Amino acid sequence: MLTLAKVQTYERFDGDIDGYSRACGGGDTSGITDDDGQLIERLRQALYLVSSGKAAASFGAEVERELHIVTAGEPVRQALRRLASS
């Protein structure tokens, strides 16, 4: 489950989950894993495609369904959308 803390950690390390690991988590307590980092990156890319109008409506609907399944609430989904637009 993606939490706001995991997304914030991903953002703090600029998506470099390996850098996060090399820094021994930098005192982070979010519990982010490699799988979480990969999921965040995949969702970030998918949300970018949807927001740029380069994806079919059905893809956008599928991304929204997945977001509701894998996130811990609307603040997390908003943070992911912000990542996708940056």
Side-chain angles (χ1 to χ4, degrees):
M1 176 75 52
L2 295 180
T3 63
L4 188 56
K6 289 179 180 182
V7 173
Q8 290 169 335
T9 297
Y10 175 93
E11 188 173 19
R12 189 170 64 246
F13 283 87
D14 293 322
D16 182 7
I17 200 72
D18 290 332
Y20 167 82
S21 296
R22 285 189 302 276
C24 299
D28 178 66
T29 59
S30 69
I32 192 171
T33 65
D34 287 344
D35 288 341
D36 292 328
Q38 291 171 2
L39 177 59
I40 292 169
E41 180 61 20
R42 186 173 59 74
L43 288 170
R44 187 190 66 78
Q45 290 176 9
L47 287 165
Y48 172 79
L49 286 173
V50 171
S51 68
S52 68
K54 296 178 181 179
S58 59
F59 180 76
E62 182 58 35
V63 170
E64 285 300 316
R65 275 192 293 277
E66 184 175 12
L67 280 173
H68 281 82
I69 293 169
V70 301
T71 60
E74 188 58 32
V76 182
R77 293 187 283 278
Q78 290 175 358
L80 287 167
R81 288 186 183 98
R82 278 193 306 276
L83 274 178
S85 66
S86 59

